[in-house]
Amino acid sequence: MSFIADFISKKNETKEKILSIFLTAGFPDKTRFAELAVKVLDAGADMLEIGFPFSDPLADGPTIQHSSQIALENGVNLKKTFAYAAEIRKHTQKPLIMMGYANPVLSYGVKKFADDAKAAGVNGLIIPDIPIEEYDNFFDESFDGLDTILLITPTTTDARIKLIDEKSSGFVYCVSISGTTGSSNKSISSTLDFLKNTYSTVRNNKMLVGFGISNENDVKTFAPHCDGVIVGSAVIKSLMNDDPNYSNTIDLIKKLKSSLI
Amino acid sequence: MNESVNYKFPDADGRFGKFGGKYVPETLITPLKELEEIYFSLKNDPGFIQELNQLNSEYTGRPTPLTFADSLTKHYGKGKIYLKREDLCHTGAHKINNALGQILLAKKLGKTRIIAETGAGQHGVATATVCAKFGMKCFVYMGEVDIERQSLNVFRMKLLGAEVIPVSSGSKTLKDATNEAIRDWVANVNDTHYIIGSVVGPHPYPMMVRDFQSVIGTEAKYQIHNIEGRDPDYIVACVGGGSNAIGIFYPFINRNVKLIGVEAAGYGIDTDKHCATLTLGREGIFQGMKTYLLQNDEGQVSEVHSISAGLDYPGVGPEHSFLKDEIIADYYSVTDDEAIKATELLSHKEGIIPALESAHAIAYLEYLMPKTTKDEIIIVNVSGRGDKDLNTIKNSLGY
């Protein structure tokens, strides 16, 4: 069993659901990113997704586009992201996941990327522009030991959910909406129907839900139908105008975590 | 559709060798499959073919002429130059060929809302045109820089009832307009069809757009055989995403015709202001496809430049990447200045004002013609007319 899957299972055994937080590497402050990440984990995040920036983030809405742009302007690249991960790893035993688009990975060298990620203490990867059709072309044996987390969306057919569930490791990332990150739910009832159906179809993996979860209400609504939730854009938005201690963001994470229990 | 002998690409996975594929977020996989299925079910359907052929002839004005460029031929004093006149298509460029094909697919898919990206505005105008004709809502994403330099086309789209959505992210050009259109599609897949304007993006788009554009090459082949009784020796076309080039190349692949794609060298390929993707790019994954890509050492996509908005794109259709690597076609580049000179030359010699995109193909004749002999035949694809570019041309020429 994978480290991430094992971690989620243990939490779930104590009736706890997972709170996974997305941060863009080097945002908002490239010199204090590891410090921010540790604060976020200490405030109650169970897992961290560290986004490495790409110039053309197709699956992202304006908020994460903005944080990626700032990160690029701050000179954040994969090397820097691995250094952040290694620094954060010194302070936590919780799962660390890297999330970003395929081209920077391809350009870095797929094997070198996998080796450096493992060396930095990263446990898993989410690459939204590698669907199962491209999976075998992209993830070779150098990714053994890293979980490759795949996404399920409202347009995914039941037959595909099963295929994705077979390929995915760590967990499956259920995208609650057809839209980019940070979009809001148009219809809660159809979203819940979709989550319930997916949750019952996924057999091999734990299921975390992300996209469109921004506050305690959303968490309370979705948590019963999954093993944990992922919050990204709401955290990035909070960081945009936070004080130097990231007080509002830390407060948000505490609230999100307490609404899960 | 006209298929080439011994050339069966893409494969079932949408790949041209290692290029192409479907590098898209999961949300788009199911709509892409639906599109592929409906396309395969219709492409050989006699009713569909007849409907498209009828629109091509009665609405677009096809076949477009193949014009012998008498004065231009005399100017170089070498091989015989023919011009394939896509500038004479309704709406002024080859883009309508694809827009008509795709609007018919959208209708069959039951979609009511159409989105498109545009650079020069020609694809936006073509899409707005077919949406007007077929009663569909039309939203066109366009970079702010392009809105500025192609203002006439922006007005044309509005007059045709389309909404033009300005894009202010990134370099504010075609690449960014495409990103926004893809994001829109992700959010609105249920009622929306995305009419991509070139042979780019995820499978099945590069194949489908090529097939719709291959009417250019099919006609050119028939016409040159009527006039000269044989294939040409050279075919020259400009390449941004590469739809007009693949359209004229495709029926001539593996027929001993030299296929030449001309990219935009902008200020020069020794500067960082160009978009000579096949000349200077390397393999990347971008906007749903694996293809040559202009990018920095860290895999971030470069901000590129061309005087021609339609060529101002850091990627290229995956089939062109394949044709380059397999040496089935050759790719060169010409600068902004050379394109402007070629615009003037074709206007003076032939009374044809080409689009700045097409002027890049004309400009390459400076390099090609000295190597040709009097009995050789060259076809240049004049992919569009230059009316949209008159402000840019006027500013460059200073008269």
Side-chain angles (χ1 to χ4, degrees):
Chain A
M1 200 178 215
S2 86
F3 174 74
I4 299 173
D6 201 34
F7 181 90
I8 300 172
S9 293
K10 281 187 184 143
K11 283 276 176 190
N12 289 166
E13 276 163 22
T14 62
K15 304 286 176 210
E16 238 188 286
K17 303 233 166 170
I18 296 287
L19 175 66
S20 183
I21 296 294
F22 172 91
L23 296 173
T24 298
F27 178 85
D29 182 343
K30 66 173 171 177
T31 59
R32 295 179 58 212
F33 180 70
E35 183 196 329
L36 164 66
V38 173
K39 275 179 195 273
V40 165
L41 289 164
D42 289 346
D46 298 301
M47 305 194 320
L48 205 59
E49 291 171 24
I50 306 170
F52 52 94
F54 181 46
S55 51
D56 295 81
L58 277 186
D60 287 303
T63 303
I64 295 177
Q65 284 178 46
H66 171 77
S67 62
S68 299
Q69 190 54 40
I70 300 287
L72 285 174
E73 286 165 17
N74 283 344
V76 174
N77 54 18
L78 279 171
K79 202 171 153 227
K80 187 79 191 150
T81 307
F82 292 133
Y84 287 138
E87 181 60 28
I88 297 162
R89 178 48 80 212
K90 287 185 199 161
H91 300 275
T92 186
Q93 295 301 311
K94 294 173 177 176
L96 297 180
I97 294 163
M98 279 175 61
M99 181 166 186
Y101 293 84
N103 199 54
V105 179
L106 188 72
S107 176
Y108 192 80
V110 170
K111 184 178 186 317
K112 188 169 184 299
F113 177 92
D115 291 347
D116 289 359
K118 282 183 266 191
V122 171
N123 310 106
L125 296 172
I126 303 170
I127 306 199
D129 53 349
I130 302 293
I132 50 173
E133 281 72 9
E134 305 300 342
Y135 187 96
D136 293 331
N137 271 331
F138 193 83
F139 294 116
D140 61 17
E141 66 281 356
S142 39
F143 287 87
D144 292 350
L146 282 173
D147 285 331
T148 48
I149 297 145
L150 297 175
L151 292 88
I152 291 170
T153 69
T155 59
T156 309
T157 59
D158 282 357
R160 270 185 81 79
I161 292 176
K162 288 177 184 146
L163 290 175
I164 290 168
D165 186 29
E166 278 166 27
K167 283 266 188 205
S168 196
S169 53
F171 61 91
V172 290
Y173 188 140
C174 183
V175 175
S176 74
I177 42 165
S178 286
T180 51
T181 53
S183 311
S184 54
N185 271 285
K186 285 175 190 160
S187 155
I188 294 290
S189 68
S190 66
T191 303
L192 287 179
D193 288 345
F194 160 64
L195 291 187
K196 285 175 198 166
N197 175 59
T198 309
Y199 200 32
S200 67
T201 311
V202 171
R203 295 287 166 84
N204 302 325
N205 283 285
K206 292 290 182 177
M207 181 177 110
L208 269 54
V209 175
F211 285 43
I213 299 179
S214 60
N215 55 40
E216 299 143 87
N217 260 346
D218 295 338
V219 170
K220 282 182 185 150
T221 309
F222 295 140
H225 310 292
C226 58
D227 301 308
V229 297
I230 302 164
V231 183
S233 295
V235 174
I236 300 291
K237 212 175 266 178
S238 165
L239 285 169
M240 282 179 190
N241 299 303
D242 213 346
D243 61 51
N245 292 320
Y246 308 119
S247 313
N248 296 327
T249 307
I250 298 307
D251 196 42
L252 170 67
I253 287 161
K254 285 180 180 161
K255 281 183 190 156
L256 293 170
K257 182 62 186 178
S258 64
S259 61
L260 265 174
I261 299 168
Chain B
M1 302 279 163
N2 193 316
E3 291 188 0
S4 287
V5 280
N6 303 324
Y7 180 90
K8 297 274 179 247
F9 293 97
D11 65 18
D13 297 323
R15 293 202 175 81
F16 304 88
K18 66 179 171 180
F19 299 108
K22 280 184 191 172
Y23 293 88
V24 289
E26 172 64 22
T27 309
L28 294 181
I29 292 288
T30 298
L32 286 170
K33 285 215 158 96
E34 286 167 5
L35 184 59
E36 187 183 345
E37 277 164 20
I38 198 123
Y39 178 64
F40 277 125
S41 76
L42 289 175
K43 71 177 274 194
N44 296 315
D45 176 79
F48 178 77
I49 293 171
Q50 198 210 335
E51 189 176 7
L52 185 56
N53 284 348
Q54 193 169 351
L55 284 164
N56 277 341
S57 79
E58 293 172 13
Y59 192 65
T60 306
R62 305 207 69 91
T64 57
L66 186 70
T67 305
F68 176 58
D70 195 7
S71 303
L72 196 63
T73 298
K74 284 194 185 110
H75 171 77
Y76 286 110
K78 293 282 193 168
K80 293 166 84 169
I81 303 167
Y82 287 87
L83 306 172
K84 180 60 177 164
R85 301 292 307 282
E86 293 301 295
D87 59 311
L88 293 177
C89 287
H90 175 46
T91 72
H94 71 292
K95 294 294 185 186
I96 189 82
N97 303 330
N98 167 51
L100 277 172
Q102 286 203 45
I103 198 85
L104 295 182
L105 294 183
K107 244 178 38 173
K108 302 277 184 195
L109 285 163
K111 307 288 183 182
T112 54
R113 180 176 177 271
I114 298 293
I115 55 171
E117 85 296 337
T118 199
Q122 286 305 122
H123 174 58
V125 167
T127 304
T129 298
V130 299
C131 286
K133 182 162 173 62
F134 287 89
M136 300 262 204
K137 281 178 284 182
C138 180
F139 300 85
V140 181
Y141 287 90
M142 188 168 190
E144 284 180 348
V145 168
D146 294 336
I147 285 179
E148 177 71 32
R149 61 180 161 175
Q150 309 278 205
S151 57
L152 190 62
N153 271 346
V154 175
F155 178 70
R156 289 170 79 196
M157 286 184 265
K158 288 179 180 168
L159 183 60
L160 291 159
E163 187 176 324
V164 179
I165 305 171
V167 175
S168 59
S169 57
S171 53
K172 305 176 177 62
T173 57
L174 180 56
K175 155 186 102 93
D176 311 285
T178 307
N179 286 341
E180 283 309 318
I182 294 174
R183 289 184 186 117
D184 179 313
W185 200 31
V186 169
N188 298 293
V189 283
N190 288 336
D191 66 348
T192 299
H193 175 65
Y194 177 20
I195 301 190
I196 291 186
S198 191
V199 284
V200 298
H203 179 68
Y205 282 105
M207 167 188 75
M208 215 170 64
V209 178
R210 172 198 71 193
D211 290 351
F212 290 138
Q213 292 295 358
S214 68
V215 66
I216 304 171
T218 304
E219 285 176 10
K221 194 197 275 176
Y222 178 82
Q223 290 164 324
I224 200 71
H225 277 256
N226 257 352
I227 301 167
E228 297 279 357
R230 67 173 180 93
D231 275 354
D233 298 283
Y234 297 90
I235 293 177
V236 185
C238 67
V239 177
S243 69
N244 88 83
I246 216 81
I248 195 163
F249 289 175
Y250 186 54
F252 290 97
I253 285 174
N254 290 341
R255 285 178 67 98
N256 209 20
V257 178
K258 290 194 179 69
L259 307 173
I260 296 171
V262 185
E263 298 189 302
Y267 295 161
I269 54 173
D270 50 347
T271 72
D272 60 359
K273 299 280 182 201
H274 62 79
C275 23
T277 307
L278 290 162
T279 310
L280 292 172
R282 62 190 169 87
E283 186 182 321
I285 294 172
F286 175 62
Q287 295 185 338
M289 57 186 164
K290 185 178 274 188
T291 192
Y292 275 83
L293 177 65
L294 289 167
Q295 54 185 316
N296 71 11
D297 291 344
E298 291 169 355
Q300 306 299 341
V301 179
S302 305
E303 297 210 346
V304 296
H305 162 82
S306 170
I307 193 170
S308 136
L311 303 183
D312 200 347
Y313 184 67
V316 65
E319 192 164 14
H320 284 293
S321 295
F322 176 72
L323 294 180
K324 175 193 161 79
D325 276 13
E326 296 297 311
I327 325 177
I328 294 171
D330 293 313
Y331 296 87
Y332 303 94
S333 62
V334 301
T335 63
D336 288 353
D337 288 346
E338 289 173 312
I340 289 286
K341 276 186 200 127
T343 303
E344 203 176 22
L345 179 71
L346 193 70
S347 304
H348 285 183
K349 295 288 177 195
E350 296 295 336
I352 296 169
I353 301 173
L356 280 176
E357 290 77 18
S358 323
H360 284 70
I362 304 292
Y364 185 71
L365 295 176
E366 290 286 324
Y367 300 94
L368 177 65
M369 294 317 294
K371 292 186 242 167
T372 62
T373 57
K374 284 205 184 254
D375 55 353
E376 285 187 310
I377 299 166
I378 300 95
I379 298 179
V380 183
N381 198 17
V382 182
S383 55
R385 67 177 187 231
D387 306 44
K388 69 185 177 63
D389 295 313
L390 290 180
N391 277 332
T392 309
I393 298 167
K394 184 166 172 278
N395 290 339
S396 296
L397 289 173
Y399 59 73

